Amino acid sequence: MLTTRTRLGLLAVLGTLAVAVAGIAFEYTAAYRFQRDHAMAMLKSFAHHDIPAMLEQAEDVSAERLLRHAAEHFVAVPGLSVVAAVLDDEGTVLASSGLSGEAASVFLEGQDTRIGGSDVEVDGLILFRGWQGEGLQVVLGLSKASVWSPLGQRLTYLVAVVAGGLAVYYVLLFYYFRAQVQAPLTRFLEGRLNATVRGLLTGASPPPANAAEDEPLNLLPSGVSENVRRHLALLQISAQHKANLDRFLTVSISESDKRHLAENLFRILGQELPLRAMAVLEVNHSLNRLEPIFDSGGDDYPDDFLAAPETCFVYRSGTPLVQTATDHLACCKLPEGDEAFVCVPLVAGGTEMGVCRLVVSRAELERWAPGVETPQERLTLVRSLLRPYVSLAALSLSNLSLLDSYKNQAVTDALTKLYNRRYIMEYLMNITNLAKRGSKDLAVFVIDIDNFKRLNDEYGHTTGDQVLKVVARAMRDAVRDSDIVARYGGEEFVVALPDTDLDTAVVVAERLREAVAGVQWDQEGLDGIPRVTVSVGVAAFPIHGYSHYHLINAADKGVYAAKRQGKNRVVIHRSLPDDDEGGTPVRDAGGDERRHQPAPSR
């Protein structure tokens, strides 16, 4: 299709050519008619005057004489090829000059008998009846070619004048085209392409296109301009994609929080794609469960879907999926209206980590990518643009998970999965400082497994390790989630209980001791080992000291006291840190061991 301006230009050119050709034809035709009419007038004058005068003067006129007499007057029409024939009444040619009898007979058929009848064209000749009488008739005429020939020079001159005028016209048109069409179009294309290529090379976002800048494209045929617009739009999308991808790469490298990483991904993708919503779901491999990291749409996912990642087609197959309302592929939720889902697996190091799902509008996609013809191609383009983002996000999530794992390994005991000595010491130092500033309670346990060395020697280190793991689990289950249980070293453990006074701590310590003593070892696969018990030393802030060192030391002295008093018991260090290494067992005022009451709600 051609634009209106282009159509008008072509019509002007064609109109100019048509006028020029029509002018030449008209002028040439007029000159031909004038030449022919002038020659015929001279012949007819000869026929009407000279032939009758000759017949009056001569008593006997033969056909040859008549023809010869006519030929003497033909020279009056210079440059023309004059023909003549003398026939009898029956149409038999008696004499002829340049005219065949057949042509003369054809001319005479159907002609009236009056002298000077109408002209008739026969075989390239213009003939008329010049005279009739005395049993004779004369046919005179001209060759049309001889009429055209003298006009050649005039035609050449006319064509030269018209061609010169057209040449001047087209030179002016060429300079007008260069000034009004070629120059603006060249500047537009150079500017747009330079900005786009610069964006592709440097990663800078190219300026958005607008309708005013596209005005020079209207000078092109509509089909060509639409093609150029489509390709420029695709280049714009590519340059914007590279700039945003570089920006996300920088952000993802420096990000240390998974949710913030997903939020940045959604924000940057929203600058490039017409997104309605985005969700990132990560697989917790230890629980075999999908866990939403980020969901801008706030969708609720069925628990049976989250609890069974293998039901997700994208996660199971590791293949991106474009889901529209008309599709029937496996998906946690079907699109509604003109929505479309683009789901891409999160894969890092060959391991599926989860799924990233985008919600887009197909109507908005059509406006976003006018250079892509079909809806399916636009969705495929979105999927292609999304994949490098998701790959970077998956790599960053994998690195964050690995970093968390390293952090956990740095503060976690590998055997019992409890916190290690380094962590509990740092924690106690911090929590003691907080307790001093806020005058809050704090209790500390030091726990030692009774007779553990003998168990290790008799049943082996493998059994000893298993005992440590079971005891650690029992203690962890006996305290609050906010309490910290750590392996202090060997068979010794430390428990920190923030916001816990001494009386409550004693109740918890008894519950913890009983939990360990009540372990059914046959159910743990350790038949035949003796009952495992623990000795617990208890200290509290600020009764037993104002630093983590004082609290640990006091609780440790309580453990030694419990060992001396027969093991499998809870002992409170009786005073502030001093030289006394003894401890006070948990006893009531009458001297009997204090029996703890049910633990208060904690």
Side-chain angles (χ1 to χ4, degrees):
M1 299 296 293
L2 301 178
T3 62
T4 302
R5 185 177 296 185
T6 305
R7 289 195 191 97
L8 292 176
L10 289 176
L11 287 176
V13 172
L14 294 176
T16 304
L17 289 174
V19 169
V21 171
I24 293 174
F26 177 79
E27 175 66 21
Y28 197 61
T29 302
Y32 165 76
R33 287 178 178 174
F34 174 80
Q35 183 81 351
R36 184 197 66 179
D37 293 344
H38 175 67
M40 292 300 291
M42 294 180 66
L43 287 177
K44 288 180 179 180
S45 175
F46 162 74
H48 288 131
H49 298 289
D50 290 2
I51 292 179
M54 182 189 69
L55 293 175
E56 288 179 1
Q57 296 173 3
E59 297 178 357
D60 182 20
V61 179
S62 64
E64 289 78 1
R65 183 180 177 188
L66 183 62
L67 188 61
R68 186 171 59 255
H69 181 74
E72 293 176 356
H73 293 79
F74 289 167
V75 294
V77 189
L80 296 179
S81 177
V82 180
V83 296
V86 179
L87 300 86
D88 58 17
D89 289 338
E90 295 180 358
T92 303
V93 176
L94 302 178
S96 65
S97 175
L99 178 64
S100 65
E102 182 180 357
S105 299
V106 170
F107 165 75
L108 291 175
E109 289 179 1
Q111 296 295 315
D112 57 24
T113 57
R114 69 183 173 81
I115 298 175
S118 60
D119 304 339
V120 176
E121 295 186 7
V122 178
D123 294 338
L125 303 173
I126 304 173
L127 304 177
F128 71 97
R129 192 195 302 270
W131 180 84
Q132 183 178 9
E134 302 292 335
L136 298 175
Q137 49 187 336
V138 178
V139 176
L140 298 174
L142 294 171
S143 168
K144 291 176 64 177
S146 64
V147 179
W148 286 113
S149 337
L151 300 179
Q153 185 175 0
R154 179 181 293 184
L155 177 63
T156 302
Y157 173 76
L158 186 61
V159 169
V161 171
V162 172
L166 288 176
V168 173
Y169 171 78
Y170 286 121
V171 167
L172 296 176
L173 186 64
F174 170 75
Y175 283 104
Y176 173 81
F177 175 83
R178 286 189 60 179
Q180 301 297 323
V181 178
Q182 182 179 350
L185 189 59
T186 301
R187 285 194 300 270
F188 164 74
L189 291 176
E190 285 181 349
R192 180 69 66 81
L193 290 175
N194 285 340
T196 304
V197 172
R198 189 164 55 250
L200 288 171
L201 293 176
T202 64
S205 297
N210 55 64
E213 289 180 350
D214 287 351
E215 181 64 26
L217 289 179
N218 296 330
L219 301 171
L220 296 173
S222 58
V224 176
S225 66
E226 286 304 316
N227 261 335
V228 173
R229 281 191 177 92
R230 281 197 293 268
H231 287 87
L232 288 176
L234 290 176
L235 282 174
Q236 180 87 5
I237 290 173
S238 298
Q240 185 69 38
H241 171 68
K242 185 179 185 304
N244 289 338
L245 192 61
D246 290 344
R247 188 156 55 251
F248 179 66
L249 175 61
T250 303
V251 170
S252 63
I253 290 174
S254 60
E255 187 55 66
S256 59
D257 183 84
K258 292 183 178 180
R259 177 173 177 80
H260 290 166
L261 176 69
E263 289 175 348
N264 286 327
L265 176 62
F266 177 65
R267 178 178 55 82
I268 292 177
L269 278 177
Q271 299 173 4
E272 181 174 344
L273 302 172
L275 298 186
R276 287 189 175 178
M278 188 190 82
V280 178
L281 291 86
E282 184 184 26
V283 174
N284 186 328
H285 291 283
S286 60
L287 300 177
N288 191 32
R289 182 180 178 85
L290 280 170
E291 297 177 346
I293 297 177
F294 172 80
D295 190 350
S296 64
D299 289 336
D300 293 327
Y301 298 94
D303 190 69
D304 56 349
F305 166 75
L306 297 176
E310 63 277 0
T311 61
C312 176
F313 170 80
V314 175
Y315 174 74
R316 182 177 70 250
S317 65
T319 303
L321 170 67
V322 175
Q323 178 90 10
T324 62
T326 58
D327 295 332
H328 299 285
L329 295 175
C331 190
C332 59
K333 181 183 176 183
L334 289 177
E336 299 177 357
D338 76 333
E339 284 184 348
F341 292 165
V342 181
C343 299
V344 180
L346 291 163
V347 181
T351 302
E352 285 79 12
M353 300 183 57
V355 176
C356 178
R357 190 192 70 173
L358 269 69
V359 182
V360 296
S361 165
R362 284 178 283 174
E364 293 172 358
L365 280 182
E366 185 174 359
R367 292 189 292 271
W368 167 73
V372 184
E373 296 182 356
T374 66
Q376 192 61 34
E377 288 177 345
R378 285 191 284 270
L379 289 171
T380 302
L381 176 61
V382 171
R383 184 182 66 185
S384 300
L385 295 176
L386 179 61
R387 292 189 71 171
Y389 283 104
V390 175
S391 296
L392 283 175
L395 183 60
S396 296
L397 290 174
S398 176
N399 290 337
L400 289 177
S401 297
L402 190 60
L403 182 61
D404 290 341
S405 175
Y406 287 153
K407 287 180 179 178
N408 289 334
Q409 290 178 15
V411 299
T412 304
D413 177 62
L415 178 64
T416 62
K417 307 305 179 186
L418 299 177
Y419 289 109
N420 58 21
R421 178 173 181 149
R422 172 185 174 185
Y423 179 82
I424 193 64
M425 295 304 288
E426 291 180 357
Y427 177 80
L428 281 174
M429 182 174 62
N430 294 330
I431 199 72
T432 304
N433 291 332
L434 290 175
K436 283 190 287 187
R437 286 200 298 267
S439 299
K440 294 183 178 181
D441 294 322
L442 171 64
V444 176
F445 301 162
V446 173
I447 305 165
D448 189 85
I449 300 177
D450 299 328
N451 305 314
F452 184 75
K453 184 177 185 307
R454 185 192 310 166
L455 185 145
N456 240 348
D457 293 341
E458 292 182 6
Y459 296 93
H461 290 286
T462 301
T463 299
D465 289 346
Q466 184 66 19
V467 168
L468 286 172
K469 289 193 286 188
V470 174
V471 169
R473 186 176 71 238
M475 289 191 298
R476 177 69 266 180
D477 294 340
V479 297
R480 299 173 298 181
D481 290 339
S482 59
D483 298 333
I484 301 298
V485 182
R487 186 182 180 190
Y488 199 58
E491 68 274 18
E492 201 168 25
F493 301 87
V494 172
V495 180
L497 299 91
D499 299 323
T500 303
D501 58 24
L502 183 59
D503 290 337
T504 305
V506 170
V507 175
V508 175
E510 281 291 344
R511 186 170 69 227
L512 186 150
R513 181 192 64 79
E514 291 174 357
V516 174
V519 172
Q520 302 296 317
W521 293 100
D522 56 342
Q523 296 179 7
E524 300 294 340
L526 295 174
D527 297 341
I529 70 169
R531 185 168 70 117
V532 177
T533 61
V534 294
S535 297
V536 183
V538 179
F541 173 88
I543 298 173
H544 297 99
Y546 291 90
S547 71
H548 66 287
Y549 171 77
H550 288 146
L551 295 177
I552 289 287
N553 189 38
D556 196 42
K557 290 178 180 179
V559 172
Y560 282 112
K563 294 286 187 179
R564 290 196 299 269
Q565 295 171 19
K567 305 177 181 178
N568 188 26
R569 65 192 62 224
V570 176
V571 174
I572 305 171
H573 189 56
R574 69 184 177 189
S575 63
L576 288 170
D578 54 20
D579 295 332
D580 183 4
E581 296 296 329
T584 302
V586 181
R587 295 184 182 277
D588 58 16
D592 297 330
E593 287 190 2
R594 185 191 305 172
R595 304 298 177 185
H596 71 80
Q597 301 299 320
S601 176
R602 306 180 67 230

